[in-house]
Each structure stands twice: as C-alpha cells, then as structure tokens.
Amino acid sequence: MGGIPLSEISHTEKLPLLRNCGRCVETIMSSKMQSSNNTAHARRTVQQLRIEASIERIKVSKASADLMHYCGEHAKYDPLLMGIPASENPFKDKKPCTIL
Amino acid sequence: ILNSGCNNNVKGKVKGCEPRVLSLQNILSLILFLLPASALTTGIYMIFSTKPEMATQEVQPNETLTNLKAESDTLKTKLEDERAKLHDVELHQVAEKVDGLGQFIMKTRRTLKGHGNKVLCMDWCKDKRRIVSSSQDGKVIVWDAFTTNKEHAVTMPCTWVMACAYAPSGCAVACGGLDNKCSVYPLSLDKNENLAAKKKSVAMHTNYLSACSFTNSDMQILTSSGDGTCALWDVESGQLLQSFHGHAADVLCLDLAPSETGNTFVSGGCDKKANVWDMRSGQCIQSFETHESDINSVRYYPSGDAFASGSDDATCRLYDLRADREVAIYSKESIIFGASSVDFSLSGRLLFGGYNDYTINVWDVLKGTRVSILFGHENRVSTLRLSPDGTAFCSGSWDHTLRIWA
C-alpha cells in the first residue's frame, strides 16, 4: 500500500492515522475486468475533455478589462480598501475620551 | 522542501494515502497499456466522431486503451491551443493604468481565545458579528466577534473537525471532519440547552470531510471529502441530491458561486486541479491544472467571473472562467510556505492569503503585487474569511486562536 513513510512525518506534526482510507484499498481484479475498467475510465476522460474543449472563451484582454471594471465600480464600497473611520467600523476601537 | 507535493513537507492536515510507489494496480495498467494494439481504428473513430451522448452505446470489442489515450492527448493539446489563442495580454499589463494602492494598516482588533487546540476552520454568520469555528480537539464554538464572548460550544464525537459552516438563517451550524460526516446543529437561544442532543447527521462520505457549505438556504449542504468527491445533500432528509466525481484525489476545499451567477461551485484538491461544477447536472464544466501541489483553498471573485486558489506550492492564482485560463500568479521568491486559505475583499481588489509561515499576505489582485504582510499568529494560519459586509476579516490558526483584522 502506498503512502507517506512514517519516517518522513515530523514528530511534532503526526498525522492521525486514517481508519478507513477507502482509496488505498487494493482489489485483485481479473485482467479482463481491469482492462474494461481502464477503458471505461479512459472513455469518461475523453468525454469530459470534449465538453471542456467545446466551451466558448473570450480573450484575456476582455476578461481583464471586465475584472478591472468591476474593481473600479465597487472600490468605493470596499471598507478594507478605502479605510473607514473607526466610528463606523464595529471592530475598530473608538477613540478614548480624554478628560482634561 | 519546496514543491515536493505530499511527501517531504508535512501538511499537518489529514490527507488520504496516495500511492507513491508503483502498486500492483499500476503495474497491471502499465502491462496492458504496452500490449500490442489490435484495434480496428475505424471502429473506434466511428464511436468518437458521433455526439458525446452516443458514446454510451455498446462498447466496440476492439476499442483499446491506446486509442482512447491518443484521443485524450489530442483533446488536451487542442484545449491548450484554444486557450493559448486568446492569451493576448497579461492581466497585470492591462492593470498598469490602474492607480496603485497606498499603504495598508490592518491590525488585529480582536483575538478569540478558547479553543484547546489548532483552529481548523471558521465561518461568519450573515449578521456580520457571529462566527463559528472548529478545532482539532473536536470542539465547535460560536462566538460574538464584537464582544469576543462564546455563545455556544459543542463537542463533536471526533477530533479534527476540519469543516464548519454557518447556516444562512443564522439558526444552525454544520460541521464535520474525521467522522466522515457532516452534521447540522440547530442553535438554541437557551444557553443551557444541550446542542448535541438535537444534532442531525446529514452527509455521509467514505473518508474525512474537508469542507462544507450551505447553499442559498438552510435546506441544502454542499460537502467535499477525502474520498475524492463532492456532494449535495438535503438537510431535512439527509438524502444525497447530487454527487460530483472527477477529482483523482482528496478534495480539500469548495466555494459556491455568488448567487447572481447561477448554480455552480468550484472545488480544489490534492490532484492539483480546480474544477468548476454544474450543481444541477453534476457535470464538471471547467478544469484548471496549473498549480504544482495540493490546492488548499478556492474562493470566487465577487463578480463570479473568476476565482482564486491557494496552494501548497506557495502561490495563489487567479483563474478567469470566461477566458478559461489562469490570469495571474501571486508569488514571491521569499514566500516558500504553502497558502492555506484565501479570500477577496468586497470589491475584489485585494486578495488575503493565510500561509503556513504564520503570516497573512495581502495582494493587489490586478497588479499582482503584494501590498501588505500581516504578522500576529504564532503558528500556521489555517483558515481565513472576509466578514459579510467587508469591514473586517477573520483568521484562524494552529496557535489555537482566531483574530479579527480591520
């Protein structure tokens, strides 16, 4: 069974041993079943790639322009970007009052 | 130590076992692959020249692995060519005309102390003040971030609670981890009530739960797991509504598209891939594989047209969905530790990344430069999220604390 050799795990950061590591289970299959499973998997991969290859794409210049446009439009509503006064930010402490 | 994947650099998060040596299964595949091809090529091309729906017909007896692999390689090259054709400029070049950002002064405004061990995950409530966090010691705590008071605490039956999420209504939280399940706890106004008694088990995976998120309502939960799948569940009945197969290794993170942009979500995994899924059909509609190591975190850009990812390869990257490619890399030679979690500011101009070197780096999304580095945590940052109104963000760390920054 594959896996990270225990010797490579630092003693301070032990990974908990997985009880049911489903993906590591090796099943002994007949070579015929093996072949048809691999074929099925390869066929699924090809089908998936066909779907991905056929989608419509736009140019990076257009996509970048749109991202920039969105940032520009929403910048004024972004408290972390613009910085808002302490009085409006519930997490920032209000200025303490000085008693003269 | 740098880009060695799951091997030398200890992740400290739970991962499934990945075969590092040739297993029996690998050797069998190799032998079959090398067997002389006895296929009738015309037969195979007949199948694949028809529409994808027709590929479910009877398997031609002579369809071989070699021909399928050849077809798959051709398609991969075609994908790369199509993407490259539209790569006319870089994002940071287009962004040169945008004003640079000034100095950022962000400080820790609150420190939430109370967890007894590493904080692994956190989420904000829509009311912008409550936070749920989960930890390695099995505790899930609901905090009032303004006052730092703990409002609820639940002890899970397992350790390493790697995922937690707040329900949109604010009336429940979901969490899970090594128990392979995602459970929902309704939050009661009565502080004395035992939350564990009302627990509802919703999701069941065959390996650890790595992330969970409610959809637009309290009624459905999306989960990702070390078993390599994501799944959509009905909370009330616990029924599996849709499952998403496609990752070749543990899925570590997911993020739902902003509601205006429709029913999709993105997931990232140990197979270095980020996949975009259609929630209704279960189909993977786009896939991106440019990271050199596990993808620990994915987050949609506020417009829904792009998403960012953080990876163990010490980089964060931006992928544009309409251009169907990576458009920016956020990295520096001095940053050699993995990024565990990422989130955007409200306008999408800033990207916050929590790293395993205990720091939080703030990036200018458009120009690709770092604008700030935040120190404070005393161990690796494991989780990071912007508050719902964008006034602050919260980070959780292995140093047992959460910090609110503004």
Side-chain angles (χ1 to χ4, degrees), chain B residues 115-148:
Chain B
H115 274 296
N117 212 321
K118 310 177 173 69
V119 176
L120 301 174
C121 187
M122 59 82 43
D123 192 18
W124 288 87
C125 177
K126 284 211 159 73
D127 71 1
K128 309 162 224 168
R129 72 184 280 170
R130 280 176 185 79
I131 285 176
V132 62
S133 61
S134 65
S135 155
Q136 186 198 336
D137 65 358
K139 291 260 189 334
V140 175
I141 300 179
V142 176
W143 314 77
D144 176 338
F146 289 176
T147 62
T148 75

PDB file of all heavy atoms in Angstrom, chain B residues 115-148:
ATOM      1  N   HIS B 115     -10.223  27.938  22.174  1.00  0.00           N
ATOM      2  CA  HIS B 115     -10.007  26.592  21.658  1.00  0.00           C
ATOM      3  C   HIS B 115      -8.799  25.978  22.351  1.00  0.00           C
ATOM      4  O   HIS B 115      -7.851  26.675  22.691  1.00  0.00           O
ATOM      5  CB  HIS B 115      -9.759  26.637  20.148  1.00  0.00           C
ATOM      6  CG  HIS B 115     -11.028  26.630  19.349  1.00  0.00           C
ATOM      7  ND1 HIS B 115     -11.908  25.579  19.355  1.00  0.00           N
ATOM      8  CD2 HIS B 115     -11.566  27.573  18.534  1.00  0.00           C
ATOM      9  CE1 HIS B 115     -12.936  25.862  18.558  1.00  0.00           C
ATOM     10  NE2 HIS B 115     -12.750  27.063  18.057  1.00  0.00           N
ATOM     11  N   GLY B 116      -8.867  24.661  22.546  1.00  0.00           N
ATOM     12  CA  GLY B 116      -7.785  23.978  23.240  1.00  0.00           C
ATOM     13  C   GLY B 116      -6.749  23.422  22.292  1.00  0.00           C
ATOM     14  O   GLY B 116      -5.737  22.875  22.714  1.00  0.00           O
ATOM     15  N   ASN B 117      -7.014  23.555  20.986  1.00  0.00           N
ATOM     16  CA  ASN B 117      -6.062  23.013  20.035  1.00  0.00           C
ATOM     17  C   ASN B 117      -6.183  23.786  18.722  1.00  0.00           C
ATOM     18  O   ASN B 117      -6.885  24.781  18.653  1.00  0.00           O
ATOM     19  CB  ASN B 117      -6.302  21.508  19.849  1.00  0.00           C
ATOM     20  CG  ASN B 117      -5.004  20.773  19.559  1.00  0.00           C
ATOM     21  OD1 ASN B 117      -4.157  21.282  18.821  1.00  0.00           O
ATOM     22  ND2 ASN B 117      -4.858  19.599  20.125  1.00  0.00           N
ATOM     23  N   LYS B 118      -5.520  23.301  17.695  1.00  0.00           N
ATOM     24  CA  LYS B 118      -5.460  24.017  16.423  1.00  0.00           C
ATOM     25  C   LYS B 118      -6.858  24.369  15.898  1.00  0.00           C
ATOM     26  O   LYS B 118      -7.729  23.518  15.843  1.00  0.00           O
ATOM     27  CB  LYS B 118      -4.786  23.139  15.359  1.00  0.00           C
ATOM     28  CG  LYS B 118      -3.469  22.518  15.757  1.00  0.00           C
ATOM     29  CD  LYS B 118      -2.996  21.620  14.619  1.00  0.00           C
ATOM     30  CE  LYS B 118      -1.599  21.086  14.841  1.00  0.00           C
ATOM     31  NZ  LYS B 118      -1.527  20.129  15.928  1.00  0.00           N
ATOM     32  N   VAL B 119      -7.016  25.628  15.483  1.00  0.00           N
ATOM     33  CA  VAL B 119      -8.258  26.024  14.823  1.00  0.00           C
ATOM     34  C   VAL B 119      -8.127  25.609  13.363  1.00  0.00           C
ATOM     35  O   VAL B 119      -7.129  25.909  12.705  1.00  0.00           O
ATOM     36  CB  VAL B 119      -8.467  27.549  14.924  1.00  0.00           C
ATOM     37  CG1 VAL B 119      -9.710  27.953  14.143  1.00  0.00           C
ATOM     38  CG2 VAL B 119      -8.593  27.966  16.380  1.00  0.00           C
ATOM     39  N   LEU B 120      -9.130  24.894  12.859  1.00  0.00           N
ATOM     40  CA  LEU B 120      -9.021  24.361  11.504  1.00  0.00           C
ATOM     41  C   LEU B 120      -9.921  25.074  10.498  1.00  0.00           C
ATOM     42  O   LEU B 120      -9.624  25.114   9.313  1.00  0.00           O
ATOM     43  CB  LEU B 120      -9.362  22.863  11.507  1.00  0.00           C
ATOM     44  CG  LEU B 120      -8.477  21.999  12.403  1.00  0.00           C
ATOM     45  CD1 LEU B 120      -8.989  20.570  12.435  1.00  0.00           C
ATOM     46  CD2 LEU B 120      -7.035  22.021  11.908  1.00  0.00           C
ATOM     47  N   CYS B 121     -11.030  25.609  10.987  1.00  0.00           N
ATOM     48  CA  CYS B 121     -11.979  26.202  10.047  1.00  0.00           C
ATOM     49  C   CYS B 121     -12.824  27.238  10.769  1.00  0.00           C
ATOM     50  O   CYS B 121     -13.018  27.153  11.989  1.00  0.00           O
ATOM     51  CB  CYS B 121     -12.869  25.102   9.472  1.00  0.00           C
ATOM     52  SG  CYS B 121     -13.939  25.690   8.158  1.00  0.00           S
ATOM     53  N   MET B 122     -13.318  28.219  10.031  1.00  0.00           N
ATOM     54  CA  MET B 122     -14.253  29.159  10.619  1.00  0.00           C
ATOM     55  C   MET B 122     -15.209  29.693   9.543  1.00  0.00           C
ATOM     56  O   MET B 122     -14.938  29.591   8.355  1.00  0.00           O
ATOM     57  CB  MET B 122     -13.533  30.325  11.330  1.00  0.00           C
ATOM     58  CG  MET B 122     -12.602  31.174  10.509  1.00  0.00           C
ATOM     59  SD  MET B 122     -13.320  32.491   9.489  1.00  0.00           S
ATOM     60  CE  MET B 122     -14.515  33.209  10.517  1.00  0.00           C
ATOM     61  N   ASP B 123     -16.324  30.246  10.004  1.00  0.00           N
ATOM     62  CA  ASP B 123     -17.265  30.847   9.060  1.00  0.00           C
ATOM     63  C   ASP B 123     -18.007  31.979   9.758  1.00  0.00           C
ATOM     64  O   ASP B 123     -18.225  31.925  10.975  1.00  0.00           O
ATOM     65  CB  ASP B 123     -18.257  29.806   8.532  1.00  0.00           C
ATOM     66  CG  ASP B 123     -19.066  30.304   7.341  1.00  0.00           C
ATOM     67  OD1 ASP B 123     -18.643  31.309   6.713  1.00  0.00           O
ATOM     68  OD2 ASP B 123     -20.117  29.714   7.039  1.00  0.00           O
ATOM     69  N   TRP B 124     -18.410  32.984   9.007  1.00  0.00           N
ATOM     70  CA  TRP B 124     -19.166  34.099   9.557  1.00  0.00           C
ATOM     71  C   TRP B 124     -20.664  33.841   9.436  1.00  0.00           C
ATOM     72  O   TRP B 124     -21.129  33.167   8.528  1.00  0.00           O
ATOM     73  CB  TRP B 124     -18.878  35.383   8.766  1.00  0.00           C
ATOM     74  CG  TRP B 124     -17.543  35.988   8.973  1.00  0.00           C
ATOM     75  CD1 TRP B 124     -16.392  35.696   8.300  1.00  0.00           C
ATOM     76  CD2 TRP B 124     -17.198  37.022   9.901  1.00  0.00           C
ATOM     77  NE1 TRP B 124     -15.356  36.475   8.739  1.00  0.00           N
ATOM     78  CE2 TRP B 124     -15.823  37.311   9.720  1.00  0.00           C
ATOM     79  CE3 TRP B 124     -17.910  37.747  10.847  1.00  0.00           C
ATOM     80  CZ2 TRP B 124     -15.154  38.284  10.468  1.00  0.00           C
ATOM     81  CZ3 TRP B 124     -17.255  38.724  11.584  1.00  0.00           C
ATOM     82  CH2 TRP B 124     -15.891  38.985  11.394  1.00  0.00           C
ATOM     83  N   CYS B 125     -21.397  34.424  10.352  1.00  0.00           N
ATOM     84  CA  CYS B 125     -22.843  34.412  10.255  1.00  0.00           C
ATOM     85  C   CYS B 125     -23.223  35.627   9.407  1.00  0.00           C
ATOM     86  O   CYS B 125     -22.491  36.620   9.365  1.00  0.00           O
ATOM     87  CB  CYS B 125     -23.445  34.537  11.652  1.00  0.00           C
ATOM     88  SG  CYS B 125     -25.230  34.617  11.655  1.00  0.00           S
ATOM     89  N   LYS B 126     -24.396  35.576   8.755  1.00  0.00           N
ATOM     90  CA  LYS B 126     -24.817  36.718   7.926  1.00  0.00           C
ATOM     91  C   LYS B 126     -25.045  37.977   8.736  1.00  0.00           C
ATOM     92  O   LYS B 126     -25.097  39.073   8.170  1.00  0.00           O
ATOM     93  CB  LYS B 126     -26.076  36.365   7.143  1.00  0.00           C
ATOM     94  CG  LYS B 126     -25.812  35.456   5.956  1.00  0.00           C
ATOM     95  CD  LYS B 126     -26.798  35.705   4.812  1.00  0.00           C
ATOM     96  CE  LYS B 126     -26.296  35.218   3.485  1.00  0.00           C
ATOM     97  NZ  LYS B 126     -26.279  33.779   3.304  1.00  0.00           N
ATOM     98  N   ASP B 127     -25.179  37.842  10.069  1.00  0.00           N
ATOM     99  CA  ASP B 127     -25.409  39.044  10.882  1.00  0.00           C
ATOM    100  C   ASP B 127     -24.117  39.827  11.091  1.00  0.00           C
ATOM    101  O   ASP B 127     -24.110  40.818  11.819  1.00  0.00           O
ATOM    102  CB  ASP B 127     -26.059  38.687  12.234  1.00  0.00           C
ATOM    103  CG  ASP B 127     -25.111  37.961  13.184  1.00  0.00           C
ATOM    104  OD1 ASP B 127     -23.935  37.725  12.831  1.00  0.00           O
ATOM    105  OD2 ASP B 127     -25.547  37.618  14.289  1.00  0.00           O
ATOM    106  N   LYS B 128     -23.037  39.418  10.487  1.00  0.00           N
ATOM    107  CA  LYS B 128     -21.735  40.094  10.480  1.00  0.00           C
ATOM    108  C   LYS B 128     -21.051  40.174  11.832  1.00  0.00           C
ATOM    109  O   LYS B 128     -20.027  40.828  11.957  1.00  0.00           O
ATOM    110  CB  LYS B 128     -21.876  41.540   9.958  1.00  0.00           C
ATOM    111  CG  LYS B 128     -22.599  41.647   8.644  1.00  0.00           C
ATOM    112  CD  LYS B 128     -23.091  43.054   8.400  1.00  0.00           C
ATOM    113  CE  LYS B 128     -24.499  43.081   7.880  1.00  0.00           C
ATOM    114  NZ  LYS B 128     -25.108  44.394   7.889  1.00  0.00           N
ATOM    115  N   ARG B 129     -21.614  39.511  12.837  1.00  0.00           N
ATOM    116  CA  ARG B 129     -20.909  39.552  14.107  1.00  0.00           C
ATOM    117  C   ARG B 129     -20.626  38.194  14.707  1.00  0.00           C
ATOM    118  O   ARG B 129     -19.693  38.053  15.476  1.00  0.00           O
ATOM    119  CB  ARG B 129     -21.604  40.474  15.117  1.00  0.00           C
ATOM    120  CG  ARG B 129     -22.899  39.983  15.691  1.00  0.00           C
ATOM    121  CD  ARG B 129     -23.527  41.033  16.586  1.00  0.00           C
ATOM    122  NE  ARG B 129     -22.945  41.074  17.919  1.00  0.00           N
ATOM    123  CZ  ARG B 129     -23.198  42.035  18.819  1.00  0.00           C
ATOM    124  NH1 ARG B 129     -23.977  43.033  18.510  1.00  0.00           N
ATOM    125  NH2 ARG B 129     -22.639  41.999  20.024  1.00  0.00           N
ATOM    126  N   ARG B 130     -21.426  37.196  14.341  1.00  0.00           N
ATOM    127  CA  ARG B 130     -21.174  35.885  14.921  1.00  0.00           C
ATOM    128  C   ARG B 130     -20.255  35.061  14.034  1.00  0.00           C
ATOM    129  O   ARG B 130     -20.255  35.185  12.816  1.00  0.00           O
ATOM    130  CB  ARG B 130     -22.481  35.142  15.153  1.00  0.00           C
ATOM    131  CG  ARG B 130     -23.134  35.635  16.407  1.00  0.00           C
ATOM    132  CD  ARG B 130     -24.476  35.033  16.689  1.00  0.00           C
ATOM    133  NE  ARG B 130     -25.012  35.702  17.856  1.00  0.00           N
ATOM    134  CZ  ARG B 130     -25.578  36.907  17.827  1.00  0.00           C
ATOM    135  NH1 ARG B 130     -25.714  37.535  16.686  1.00  0.00           N
ATOM    136  NH2 ARG B 130     -25.998  37.462  18.940  1.00  0.00           N
ATOM    137  N   ILE B 131     -19.480  34.221  14.687  1.00  0.00           N
ATOM    138  CA  ILE B 131     -18.515  33.378  13.989  1.00  0.00           C
ATOM    139  C   ILE B 131     -18.610  31.968  14.556  1.00  0.00           C
ATOM    140  O   ILE B 131     -18.750  31.800  15.768  1.00  0.00           O
ATOM    141  CB  ILE B 131     -17.079  33.915  14.227  1.00  0.00           C
ATOM    142  CG1 ILE B 131     -16.850  35.170  13.404  1.00  0.00           C
ATOM    143  CG2 ILE B 131     -16.031  32.880  13.896  1.00  0.00           C
ATOM    144  CD1 ILE B 131     -15.497  35.786  13.669  1.00  0.00           C
ATOM    145  N   VAL B 132     -18.516  30.966  13.683  1.00  0.00           N
ATOM    146  CA  VAL B 132     -18.407  29.592  14.172  1.00  0.00           C
ATOM    147  C   VAL B 132     -17.002  29.116  13.808  1.00  0.00           C
ATOM    148  O   VAL B 132     -16.480  29.433  12.736  1.00  0.00           O
ATOM    149  CB  VAL B 132     -19.482  28.670  13.545  1.00  0.00           C
ATOM    150  CG1 VAL B 132     -19.339  28.582  12.028  1.00  0.00           C
ATOM    151  CG2 VAL B 132     -19.417  27.282  14.163  1.00  0.00           C
ATOM    152  N   SER B 133     -16.371  28.404  14.739  1.00  0.00           N
ATOM    153  CA  SER B 133     -15.041  27.896  14.451  1.00  0.00           C
ATOM    154  C   SER B 133     -14.934  26.470  14.956  1.00  0.00           C
ATOM    155  O   SER B 133     -15.632  26.072  15.895  1.00  0.00           O
ATOM    156  CB  SER B 133     -13.974  28.767  15.122  1.00  0.00           C
ATOM    157  OG  SER B 133     -14.146  28.743  16.520  1.00  0.00           O
ATOM    158  N   SER B 134     -14.059  25.698  14.322  1.00  0.00           N
ATOM    159  CA  SER B 134     -13.898  24.300  14.722  1.00  0.00           C
ATOM    160  C   SER B 134     -12.425  23.992  14.880  1.00  0.00           C
ATOM    161  O   SER B 134     -11.558  24.630  14.274  1.00  0.00           O
ATOM    162  CB  SER B 134     -14.518  23.379  13.677  1.00  0.00           C
ATOM    163  OG  SER B 134     -13.832  23.482  12.454  1.00  0.00           O
ATOM    164  N   SER B 135     -12.164  22.992  15.679  1.00  0.00           N
ATOM    165  CA  SER B 135     -10.778  22.759  16.078  1.00  0.00           C
ATOM    166  C   SER B 135     -10.397  21.280  16.079  1.00  0.00           C
ATOM    167  O   SER B 135     -11.239  20.409  15.979  1.00  0.00           O
ATOM    168  CB  SER B 135     -10.593  23.374  17.468  1.00  0.00           C
ATOM    169  OG  SER B 135      -9.553  22.767  18.160  1.00  0.00           O
ATOM    170  N   GLN B 136      -9.096  21.044  16.205  1.00  0.00           N
ATOM    171  CA  GLN B 136      -8.588  19.684  16.215  1.00  0.00           C
ATOM    172  C   GLN B 136      -9.068  18.915  17.429  1.00  0.00           C
ATOM    173  O   GLN B 136      -9.134  17.694  17.420  1.00  0.00           O
ATOM    174  CB  GLN B 136      -7.058  19.703  16.188  1.00  0.00           C
ATOM    175  CG  GLN B 136      -6.447  18.333  16.062  1.00  0.00           C
ATOM    176  CD  GLN B 136      -4.990  18.302  16.461  1.00  0.00           C
ATOM    177  OE1 GLN B 136      -4.317  19.322  16.406  1.00  0.00           O
ATOM    178  NE2 GLN B 136      -4.515  17.144  16.847  1.00  0.00           N
ATOM    179  N   ASP B 137      -9.394  19.631  18.497  1.00  0.00           N
ATOM    180  CA  ASP B 137      -9.782  18.931  19.723  1.00  0.00           C
ATOM    181  C   ASP B 137     -11.252  18.510  19.707  1.00  0.00           C
ATOM    182  O   ASP B 137     -11.767  18.028  20.705  1.00  0.00           O
ATOM    183  CB  ASP B 137      -9.482  19.783  20.955  1.00  0.00           C
ATOM    184  CG  ASP B 137     -10.317  21.064  20.987  1.00  0.00           C
ATOM    185  OD1 ASP B 137     -11.098  21.299  20.044  1.00  0.00           O
ATOM    186  OD2 ASP B 137     -10.180  21.844  21.947  1.00  0.00           O
ATOM    187  N   GLY B 138     -11.912  18.719  18.576  1.00  0.00           N
ATOM    188  CA  GLY B 138     -13.295  18.262  18.480  1.00  0.00           C
ATOM    189  C   GLY B 138     -14.324  19.299  18.881  1.00  0.00           C
ATOM    190  O   GLY B 138     -15.515  19.039  18.857  1.00  0.00           O
ATOM    191  N   LYS B 139     -13.875  20.485  19.285  1.00  0.00           N
ATOM    192  CA  LYS B 139     -14.833  21.497  19.741  1.00  0.00           C
ATOM    193  C   LYS B 139     -15.257  22.425  18.600  1.00  0.00           C
ATOM    194  O   LYS B 139     -14.441  22.831  17.774  1.00  0.00           O
ATOM    195  CB  LYS B 139     -14.193  22.373  20.830  1.00  0.00           C
ATOM    196  CG  LYS B 139     -13.943  21.668  22.138  1.00  0.00           C
ATOM    197  CD  LYS B 139     -15.039  22.018  23.132  1.00  0.00           C
ATOM    198  CE  LYS B 139     -14.797  21.537  24.545  1.00  0.00           C
ATOM    199  NZ  LYS B 139     -13.954  20.395  24.716  1.00  0.00           N
ATOM    200  N   VAL B 140     -16.526  22.752  18.610  1.00  0.00           N
ATOM    201  CA  VAL B 140     -17.065  23.738  17.678  1.00  0.00           C
ATOM    202  C   VAL B 140     -17.625  24.863  18.542  1.00  0.00           C
ATOM    203  O   VAL B 140     -18.452  24.623  19.425  1.00  0.00           O
ATOM    204  CB  VAL B 140     -18.175  23.126  16.807  1.00  0.00           C
ATOM    205  CG1 VAL B 140     -18.815  24.188  15.934  1.00  0.00           C
ATOM    206  CG2 VAL B 140     -17.611  21.999  15.958  1.00  0.00           C
ATOM    207  N   ILE B 141     -17.159  26.096  18.328  1.00  0.00           N
ATOM    208  CA  ILE B 141     -17.565  27.214  19.186  1.00  0.00           C
ATOM    209  C   ILE B 141     -18.212  28.305  18.341  1.00  0.00           C
ATOM    210  O   ILE B 141     -17.727  28.619  17.244  1.00  0.00           O
ATOM    211  CB  ILE B 141     -16.347  27.796  19.944  1.00  0.00           C
ATOM    212  CG1 ILE B 141     -15.700  26.727  20.820  1.00  0.00           C
ATOM    213  CG2 ILE B 141     -16.754  29.009  20.784  1.00  0.00           C
ATOM    214  CD1 ILE B 141     -14.475  27.203  21.588  1.00  0.00           C
ATOM    215  N   VAL B 142     -19.297  28.864  18.870  1.00  0.00           N
ATOM    216  CA  VAL B 142     -19.922  30.021  18.222  1.00  0.00           C
ATOM    217  C   VAL B 142     -19.586  31.253  19.056  1.00  0.00           C
ATOM    218  O   VAL B 142     -19.836  31.281  20.257  1.00  0.00           O
ATOM    219  CB  VAL B 142     -21.458  29.858  18.132  1.00  0.00           C
ATOM    220  CG1 VAL B 142     -22.093  31.113  17.544  1.00  0.00           C
ATOM    221  CG2 VAL B 142     -21.813  28.640  17.280  1.00  0.00           C
ATOM    222  N   TRP B 143     -18.988  32.249  18.433  1.00  0.00           N
ATOM    223  CA  TRP B 143     -18.531  33.457  19.125  1.00  0.00           C
ATOM    224  C   TRP B 143     -19.334  34.685  18.702  1.00  0.00           C
ATOM    225  O   TRP B 143     -19.821  34.756  17.579  1.00  0.00           O
ATOM    226  CB  TRP B 143     -17.068  33.762  18.765  1.00  0.00           C
ATOM    227  CG  TRP B 143     -16.102  32.655  18.784  1.00  0.00           C
ATOM    228  CD1 TRP B 143     -15.951  31.675  17.837  1.00  0.00           C
ATOM    229  CD2 TRP B 143     -15.091  32.417  19.768  1.00  0.00           C
ATOM    230  NE1 TRP B 143     -14.915  30.836  18.180  1.00  0.00           N
ATOM    231  CE2 TRP B 143     -14.360  31.271  19.354  1.00  0.00           C
ATOM    232  CE3 TRP B 143     -14.723  33.065  20.953  1.00  0.00           C
ATOM    233  CZ2 TRP B 143     -13.299  30.753  20.094  1.00  0.00           C
ATOM    234  CZ3 TRP B 143     -13.661  32.556  21.680  1.00  0.00           C
ATOM    235  CH2 TRP B 143     -12.962  31.404  21.253  1.00  0.00           C
ATOM    236  N   ASP B 144     -19.371  35.662  19.597  1.00  0.00           N
ATOM    237  CA  ASP B 144     -19.813  37.000  19.209  1.00  0.00           C
ATOM    238  C   ASP B 144     -18.506  37.760  18.985  1.00  0.00           C
ATOM    239  O   ASP B 144     -17.768  38.025  19.924  1.00  0.00           O
ATOM    240  CB  ASP B 144     -20.637  37.635  20.346  1.00  0.00           C
ATOM    241  CG  ASP B 144     -21.029  39.061  20.021  1.00  0.00           C
ATOM    242  OD1 ASP B 144     -20.366  39.706  19.184  1.00  0.00           O
ATOM    243  OD2 ASP B 144     -22.008  39.543  20.601  1.00  0.00           O
ATOM    244  N   ALA B 145     -18.215  38.089  17.732  1.00  0.00           N
ATOM    245  CA  ALA B 145     -16.913  38.678  17.438  1.00  0.00           C
ATOM    246  C   ALA B 145     -16.749  40.086  17.990  1.00  0.00           C
ATOM    247  O   ALA B 145     -15.635  40.531  18.235  1.00  0.00           O
ATOM    248  CB  ALA B 145     -16.686  38.686  15.923  1.00  0.00           C
ATOM    249  N   PHE B 146     -17.847  40.795  18.218  1.00  0.00           N
ATOM    250  CA  PHE B 146     -17.721  42.152  18.769  1.00  0.00           C
ATOM    251  C   PHE B 146     -17.226  42.112  20.205  1.00  0.00           C
ATOM    252  O   PHE B 146     -16.357  42.872  20.602  1.00  0.00           O
ATOM    253  CB  PHE B 146     -19.076  42.891  18.756  1.00  0.00           C
ATOM    254  CG  PHE B 146     -19.546  43.274  17.386  1.00  0.00           C
ATOM    255  CD1 PHE B 146     -20.795  43.878  17.222  1.00  0.00           C
ATOM    256  CD2 PHE B 146     -18.787  43.044  16.255  1.00  0.00           C
ATOM    257  CE1 PHE B 146     -21.252  44.245  15.959  1.00  0.00           C
ATOM    258  CE2 PHE B 146     -19.242  43.402  14.992  1.00  0.00           C
ATOM    259  CZ  PHE B 146     -20.480  44.009  14.857  1.00  0.00           C
ATOM    260  N   THR B 147     -17.815  41.203  20.993  1.00  0.00           N
ATOM    261  CA  THR B 147     -17.501  41.162  22.416  1.00  0.00           C
ATOM    262  C   THR B 147     -16.489  40.077  22.768  1.00  0.00           C
ATOM    263  O   THR B 147     -15.982  40.046  23.877  1.00  0.00           O
ATOM    264  CB  THR B 147     -18.775  40.867  23.240  1.00  0.00           C
ATOM    265  OG1 THR B 147     -19.265  39.582  22.844  1.00  0.00           O
ATOM    266  CG2 THR B 147     -19.850  41.917  22.995  1.00  0.00           C
ATOM    267  N   THR B 148     -16.192  39.206  21.837  1.00  0.00           N
ATOM    268  CA  THR B 148     -15.338  38.008  21.993  1.00  0.00           C
ATOM    269  C   THR B 148     -15.936  36.975  22.935  1.00  0.00           C
ATOM    270  O   THR B 148     -15.246  36.034  23.353  1.00  0.00           O
ATOM    271  CB  THR B 148     -13.882  38.333  22.439  1.00  0.00           C
ATOM    272  OG1 THR B 148     -13.884  38.676  23.818  1.00  0.00           O
ATOM    273  CG2 THR B 148     -13.283  39.441  21.620  1.00  0.00           C
TER     274      THR B 148
END
